[in-house]
Amino acid sequence: KVKKAKAPKVANPLEATIDVASQEMIVRAQELGIDTVFDRAVTMKPCAIGLQGICCKNCSMGPCRLPLPKDGIEGEDTRKGLCGATANTIAARNFIRMIAGGASAHSDHGRCVAEVFMAAARKETEAYQIKDTDKLLQIAPALGVDITVDVDGEIKDRDIDEIALEVAEVALAEWGKPEGEILYMKRAPEALYEKWKKLGVLPRNIDREIVEIMHRTHMGVDQDYKNLMKQGTRAALADGWGGSMLATDLQDVLFGTPYPVQSEANLGIMKEDHVNLIVHGHEPVLSEILVAVAQSQEMVDYAKEKGAKGIQLGGICCTANEILQRHGIPTAATFLQQELAIITGACDAMVVDIQCIMQNLANVAKCFHTKLITTHPIAKMEQDNVIHIEFDEAYALEDAKKIVKMAIDNFENRSSEVMIPQYKSSQVAGFGVESIQYHLGGTFRGTYYTLNDNIINGRIRGIAGVVGCNNARTKHNDGHIKVVKELIKNDVIVLTTGCNAIACAMEGLLTPEAAAVHCGPGLAEVCETVGIPPVLHLGSCVDNSRILLAATEVVKAGGLGNDICDLPAAGSAPEWMSEKAISIGHYFVASGVYTVFGVTLPTSGAPVFHKYISDEFEKITGGKWDLEIDPIKHAQKMIAHIDKKRAELGIDK
Ligand code: MSK
C-alpha cells in the first residue's frame, strides 16, 4: 500500500496571490516558519452554515443552525430556530447586524474626525488648522450654515472662524440630534431624496439608526425580514450620506482636498538603507502629523546620525490611501499583505490605528525587530510586545515625534536578513469630484471633454465603482484586477477606493499610460486626450462618499436621467471581507446602484431573503444586490446592466 502524501499545511504562493512580491514574501515566511493569513486560510475552513447567513446566536438557546438542504426546499420552508425564527428572519438579522458593524466603524471614525475638527475650530490645538477654506465654504450650506451675513442691509462674507465653529457644532450633532433627519440626505438628486422620504428610510441621526438595529435584532423583537431590511437601509444611508461623507468632508477641510498626485505602490517601496515607518489602518488624524514630522529636517538628520540614509514612509490599507492622496506617500501593501511588510525584516516600526489590523501582526513582529505601535484608545492588542502610545490631539506633535524617533532608534536593531521584494509600480492617485470635473473639461456637461457628453456619445460606455477589501478565501488581487481590466477593456471608466485601489496601483492601472494598453478605443481616446488614468483612485473606504457625490453631479449635469438609478453605472466589491463592505454595498443599493459582490454573500441559506434584496429591492430603490464569483462574468453582468440603462436612456447607439 502506498501511503497518500498529506496535503501541505501551508499556502501555495502561486495559488494564494497573483502578486509576485507577495508570492516571494509568502515563500520567505514559510522558510522562516512564520505562518501568515494565507497559510491559516489553508488550515482553517469556514463554517458552512455561518457562511450561508443562517446561524442565529442572538440568544443562549442557540446557536440555532438552519442549513439549506443540498437539493433546496420544495414547497413550504419549515426550517426554524428554537423561538421559531425563520431562515429569512435569521439571515436578515445577521445581514443588518453587519450593516450596523460597518456603519458604526465608518461613523465612529467620522465622529473622531469631527471632534478633532471642533478642537481646530476652537483653536485648542496647534497641530490642526482649518486648511481648505474653499471646501469649508462648499460644505457649510449643505449643513445649513450661512456663509454670508447681512450687515446693515449689505451682504458680506462671514468670518471664516465663525463658520468653522458652526460647521463643527452642526456636524457633531449629526451623530445624536434628537429630531429631524441627516442634513446631507438633501445633497442627493431630488428624485432620490423624495423616494427615500416616501419609503420612510431617511435616517434621523447616525447613532440612533445603529442602536435601533441592535434593538430590533435582539431576541424576540423584529421578525419580518422586510421590516428588518428597512432599518438596515436607514443605517446604511446614515453611513454613506452621513458618517462617511462627514468624515471625508471634514478630513478635506482639515488636511486639504486631494488633487492628482504621483507615487508608487507595493512592498518594493520599502528601502533597505532607510528607516521604514509603515502606517496602517484608517484614521488620518495621527498619520497626517506623522508625515509632517517624518519629513522634518530634524528627524531626517536624526535618522542620518543613526546610520540611515533617510526615512521611508509607507502605508497599508486606507491610512495609506489617505496619506497617498494628500501627500503622495507611497503605498506599501493591501490588507492581505500586512504581515508580509514585517516579514521583509526592514520594517522598523508599524503604527496602527483602527480597522483591518490583524492581531497576528504582533506574533509576526515578535520574530523581527519591528516595533508594533497601537495608537487608538479603542484598538489595543493583548500581546506583550505591542507598544501603546495613545494619540491625543492636544499632544499630536509630541506623540508623532515620539513614534518617529522610536522607529529611527530601532533602525540599528535590525538583526534578521532583510529581504525586500523588488517590485513596485507607478500610480497617480488623489481624484475626487473636484478633480474629475477639472480634468474633464471643468464641468460635467457641455464640452467635448466632459464626462456626461462622453457617456452620451458612447466613448465612455458607463461608470463603475469598484472597491473593497482582499479576502484570504480567494486569490489575492485576482478578482480585483480581472474585474477592472474587463471593465476598462469595454470602455467603462472605473472609480476605485480602498484595497481595490491599491491592487490596481500595484498592477499599473492607475497611470495614464494604462489607457493605451488596457482600454477599449473610446475610453482610451478620452483618457489620452485629457491625460487621466482609466481607473481613478478616489481614496479610502469612507471616501466611497465621493463616488456618491460624483454620481449625483453626473445626474445634476443632465442628459442621463434624473436619479442615480437612471445612470449607466454599477458597483462592485470583488474580494470583500469586512462588515464595512456590506454597509457600503447597501448604501449603494439603497441609492439606486446595481451592486455585485464576489467571494460569497451571507444570504445563500435564505433564498427568499436573497431574492428580496436583489430582485424585489430593484423595484423599491432601483438598486439591487448580486453575487458573482467568476470575475469575468462579474464584470459582464455590470456591463449588461450599463447597457440596459443606456438603452433606457436612448443612448445605446
Ligand atoms: S482597508 S475595509 S480591507 S478595503 Fe479600508 Fe481594505 Fe477593506 Fe480594510
Side-chain angles (χ1 to χ4, degrees):
K1 272 189 181 174
V2 181
K3 250 191 171 182
K4 259 193 181 173
K6 269 192 181 171
K9 286 272 194 264
V10 290
N12 175 346
L14 298 178
E15 282 170 13
T17 173
I18 60 163
D19 171 48
V20 185
S22 301
Q23 288 168 358
E24 279 188 8
M25 293 317 295
I26 294 170
V27 172
R28 173 72 174 154
Q30 290 170 351
E31 280 167 6
L32 296 171
I34 301 168
D35 72 284
T36 66
V37 62
F38 298 99
D39 303 314
R40 295 189 293 279
V42 172
T43 52
M44 181 186 279
K45 292 298 168 202
C47 161
I49 298 167
L51 203 60
Q52 295 175 51
I54 39 168
C55 170
C56 181
K57 54 182 182 62
N58 293 10
C59 87
S60 72
M61 296 195 291
C64 292
R65 296 142 41 94
L66 271 56
L68 184 70
K70 273 206 177 79
D71 40 3
I73 290 170
E74 266 191 34
E76 200 188 343
D77 183 355
T78 54
R79 293 174 298 157
K80 54 179 181 272
L82 262 64
C83 70
T86 63
N88 294 328
T89 301
I90 292 171
R93 279 181 184 155
N94 289 338
F95 198 77
I96 72 169
R97 278 201 172 195
M98 291 184 87
I99 293 178
S104 59
H106 287 145
S107 298
D108 218 29
H109 164 173
R111 185 203 320 267
C112 183
V113 175
E115 285 169 349
V116 173
F117 187 93
M118 174 66 92
R122 287 182 178 154
K123 301 194 186 299
E124 290 171 349
T125 163
E126 270 178 38
Y128 303 97
Q129 282 97 33
I130 303 299
K131 195 168 177 183
D132 191 337
T133 51
D134 286 347
K135 187 75 176 228
L136 177 66
L137 294 174
Q138 191 192 320
I139 65 167
L143 291 168
V145 175
D146 287 335
I147 57 172
T148 56
V149 275
D150 185 349
V151 183
D152 301 331
E154 206 183 321
I155 301 294
K156 291 195 170 159
D157 290 343
R158 202 173 161 205
D159 178 67
I160 206 84
D161 290 345
E162 246 180 63
I163 296 172
L165 201 54
E166 202 180 323
V167 163
E169 282 162 0
V170 175
L172 259 175
E174 291 295 86
W175 272 265
K177 62 188 181 188
E179 51 194 28
E181 68 197 31
I182 288 177
L183 295 163
Y184 270 1
M185 304 311 293
K186 284 210 169 112
R187 294 178 92 177
E190 205 183 328
L192 182 54
Y193 175 82
E194 290 302 329
K195 193 188 289 168
W196 290 331
K197 197 171 172 186
K198 212 165 140 201
L199 292 168
V201 295
L202 285 168
R204 296 154 288 186
N205 71 51
I206 298 162
D207 286 349
R208 180 172 180 175
E209 306 310 352
I210 295 163
V211 169
E212 195 169 306
I213 283 187
M214 298 314 284
H215 180 189
R216 284 193 189 206
T217 55
H218 185 275
M219 195 272 151
V221 188
D222 205 344
Q223 295 156 29
D224 172 0
Y225 63 93
K226 293 182 183 173
N227 207 39
L228 284 159
M229 274 313 290
K230 186 172 175 183
Q231 184 54 23
T233 299
R234 260 200 214 109
L237 290 172
D239 174 1
W241 295 85
S244 283
M245 200 172 278
L246 281 163
T248 297
D249 282 345
L250 299 179
Q251 284 171 184
D252 282 359
V253 177
L254 276 175
F255 310 130
T257 300
Y259 279 91
V261 59
Q262 193 156 7
S263 190
E264 292 174 327
N266 213 341
L267 292 164
I269 64 106
M270 295 171 77
K271 293 184 181 143
E272 186 164 357
D273 52 10
H274 279 54
V275 173
N276 290 296
L277 172 56
I278 304 292
V279 292
H280 173 19
H282 282 76
E283 234 177 56
V285 284
L286 173 61
S287 54
E288 272 289 320
I289 311 295
L290 278 174
V291 170
V293 169
Q295 290 176 341
S296 70
Q297 199 55 51
E298 180 195 347
M299 286 297 152
V300 174
D301 290 344
Y302 186 61
K304 286 182 180 164
E305 262 174 49
K306 294 285 179 177
K309 286 204 171 134
I311 303 169
Q312 178 63 54
L313 272 165
I316 298 178
C317 282
C318 284
T319 302
N321 290 325
E322 298 284 4
I323 58 174
L324 162 72
Q325 66 182 345
R326 296 195 179 86
H327 305 284
I329 303 296
T331 314
T334 56
F335 168 71
L336 276 185
Q337 294 170 286
Q338 56 188 280
E339 294 161 301
L340 307 182
I342 297 180
I343 291 163
T344 59
C347 179
D348 300 301
M350 184 179 284
V351 184
V352 301
D353 50 75
I354 48 161
Q355 300 165 25
C356 302
I357 293 137
M358 293 188 194
Q359 188 167 356
N360 198 55
L361 284 179
N363 303 328
V364 179
K366 255 185 204 164
C367 307
F368 296 88
H369 75 302
T370 305
K371 301 274 187 209
L372 180 60
I373 304 165
T374 53
T375 55
H376 208 290
I378 68 161
K380 295 186 178 183
M381 288 183 183
E382 69 183 42
Q383 289 98 325
D384 55 14
N385 61 320
V386 181
I387 302 157
H388 186 70
I389 300 178
E390 194 152 309
F391 165 71
D392 178 343
E393 72 252 21
Y395 301 99
L397 277 168
E398 289 88 330
D399 290 344
K401 272 188 188 169
K402 195 168 161 187
I403 290 169
V404 175
K405 218 164 158 287
M406 194 176 272
I408 297 170
D409 288 336
N410 201 27
F411 177 73
E412 59 194 12
N413 295 331
R414 283 188 199 172
S415 50
S416 50
E417 199 189 318
V418 170
M419 191 187 130
I420 301 172
Q422 296 303 306
Y423 301 95
K424 59 180 177 180
S425 302
S426 294
Q427 62 170 327
V428 178
F431 285 88
V433 179
E434 297 84 352
S435 46
I436 292 175
Q437 181 172 333
Y438 174 79
H439 282 276
L440 287 154
T443 170
F444 278 86
R445 197 175 178 202
T447 77
Y448 178 79
Y449 303 103
T450 64
L451 186 56
N452 283 32
D453 288 271
N454 277 300
I455 294 173
I456 293 166
N457 68 28
R459 277 194 203 96
I460 296 177
R461 192 163 177 173
I463 308 169
V466 189
V467 307
C469 323
N470 294 134
N471 185 321
R473 299 294 177 197
T474 185
K475 197 178 202 176
H476 172 239
N477 285 0
D478 187 53
H480 282 316
I481 298 308
K482 283 186 177 149
V483 168
V484 170
K485 281 189 176 169
E486 184 69 10
L487 289 167
I488 60 177
K489 188 176 101 185
N490 286 283
D491 292 318
V492 176
I493 192 166
V494 173
L495 311 182
T496 177
T497 63
C499 288
N500 179 274
I502 302 174
C504 289
M506 286 160 54
E507 189 71 12
L509 300 177
L510 303 189
T511 58
E513 296 75 31
V517 184
H518 298 288
C519 293
L523 181 59
E525 187 187 337
V526 175
C527 292
E528 282 165 0
T529 308
V530 299
I532 58 167
V535 184
L536 302 178
H537 187 328
L538 267 71
S540 65
C541 290
V542 293
D543 293 336
N544 283 308
S545 61
R546 296 189 202 278
I547 302 181
L548 293 176
L549 290 177
T552 300
E553 288 307 315
V554 170
V555 171
K556 287 184 176 167
L560 292 168
N562 68 348
D563 195 348
I564 290 178
C565 65
D566 297 331
L567 298 176
S572 154
E575 299 182 26
W576 78 281
M577 63 86 201
S578 82
E579 291 171 323
K580 291 185 294 170
I582 293 290
S583 184
I584 293 166
H586 198 59
Y587 70 65
F588 273 101
V589 169
S591 300
V593 180
Y594 170 61
T595 302
V596 194
F597 271 37
V599 193
T600 182
L601 267 184
T603 57
S604 57
V608 174
F609 173 66
H610 181 84
K611 192 170 176 342
Y612 178 66
I613 62 166
S614 47
D615 299 346
E616 294 300 313
F617 235 83
E618 193 172 20
K619 294 175 201 151
I620 302 171
T621 68
K624 66 179 271 187
W625 280 92
D626 203 352
L627 168 70
E628 180 51 67
I629 299 163
D630 180 280
I632 300 301
K633 285 188 193 152
H634 183 118
Q636 283 300 339
K637 280 182 161 188
M638 295 168 74
I639 294 166
H641 178 82
I642 284 169
D643 287 349
K644 185 177 96 180
K645 292 293 166 184
R646 292 189 67 86
E648 284 170 11
L649 288 164
I651 55 168
D652 51 337
K653 296 278 174 280

